[in-house]
Amino acid sequence: MMQNYSQNSNNYFENMLGETANIRSGNCPYFQIFIILDKLPYYKRSGELHKWESFTEHNAEKYVILSRDNSEIYFHTPNKTLIYIVHIPENDDLRNSEQYMDYYKSLNPSLSLTEHDYNHFGNGVILNDYESFIDKVYHTIMAL
């Protein structure tokens, strides 16, 4: 998700729950990787940058609750979820979506993981640790 996150976050989350349940009801393990920027642009319909939104603890709360669900009982819950929250350097000179995309594409070496701790996730979610996530995926699949 790259823009207007707060406007659409509940729809994204609810769609993910439904798709997860559909896949898992067929006895297939399901793992999700959710990558989001810690600051996202919010655009007007014209493409003009209206304001900056932050991915907050409030936004993370639904994933905290989901992370505590028992995935063996609830099919809407992924077996494991990796949440990657990425920080890009701020640039107050950006005025529209085209400038933002050009800026974003030029930052490859400047991307970093956020330093903010978004609540305390349960066992179902791994925050910003790809190696641990892959290890958990491997062991879950091998246990089948």
Side-chain angles (χ1 to χ4, degrees), residues 7-40:
Q7 179 178 335
N8 299 306
S9 66
N10 286 334
N11 290 341
Y12 291 132
F13 185 76
E14 289 171 7
N15 287 338
M16 181 274 298
L17 294 177
E19 290 180 22
T20 301
N22 286 337
I23 292 168
R24 294 210 48 234
S25 66
N27 292 322
C28 294
Y30 178 77
F31 308 93
Q32 183 180 73
I33 298 175
F34 176 63
I35 302 171
I36 190 162
L37 300 172
D38 60 358
K39 272 202 150 177
L40 300 116

Side-chain angles (χ1 to χ4, degrees), residues 11 38-39 43 68 72 84 92 94 108-109 130 135 142:
N11 290 341
D38 60 358
K39 272 202 150 177
Y43 298 111
R68 296 179 180 148
E72 293 179 23
Y84 236 64
D92 292 332
L94 303 175
N108 193 18
Y130 180 76
D135 186 56
M142 294 306 291

Side-chain angles (χ1 to χ4, degrees), residues 4 17-18 20 31 40 48 57 75 89 105 120-121:
N4 299 23
L17 294 177
T20 301
F31 308 93
L40 300 116
E48 180 184 347
E57 288 186 25
F75 280 173
K105 290 175 186 177
H120 300 285
F121 292 104

Side-chain angles (χ1 to χ4, degrees), residues 17-126:
L17 294 177
E19 290 180 22
T20 301
N22 286 337
I23 292 168
R24 294 210 48 234
S25 66
N27 292 322
C28 294
Y30 178 77
F31 308 93
Q32 183 180 73
I33 298 175
F34 176 63
I35 302 171
I36 190 162
L37 300 172
D38 60 358
K39 272 202 150 177
L40 300 116
Y42 187 94
Y43 298 111
K44 295 179 181 178
R45 288 183 187 216
S46 65
E48 180 184 347
L49 182 62
H50 177 64
K51 63 182 177 177
W52 289 96
E53 298 180 309
S54 294
F55 185 78
T56 65
E57 288 186 25
H58 173 74
N59 299 122
E61 185 60 30
K62 58 184 137 246
Y63 293 94
V64 170
I65 293 167
L66 185 68
S67 75
R68 296 179 180 148
D69 280 354
N70 183 339
S71 64
E72 293 179 23
I73 297 172
Y74 301 110
F75 280 173
H76 68 271
T77 305
N79 294 86
K80 290 287 179 208
T81 300
L82 172 65
I83 297 181
Y84 236 64
I85 304 172
V86 179
H87 175 75
I88 61 171
E90 295 178 24
N91 184 340
D92 292 332
D93 295 329
L94 303 175
R95 299 287 175 238
N96 58 48
S97 58
E98 186 177 315
Q99 289 176 356
Y100 177 76
M101 290 308 294
D102 289 343
Y103 175 69
Y104 181 77
K105 290 175 186 177
S106 72
L107 288 175
N108 193 18
S110 298
L111 297 176
S112 62
L113 296 178
T114 187
E115 294 181 11
H116 187 77
D117 183 13
Y118 294 89
N119 291 312
H120 300 285
F121 292 104
N123 291 330
V125 169
I126 298 166

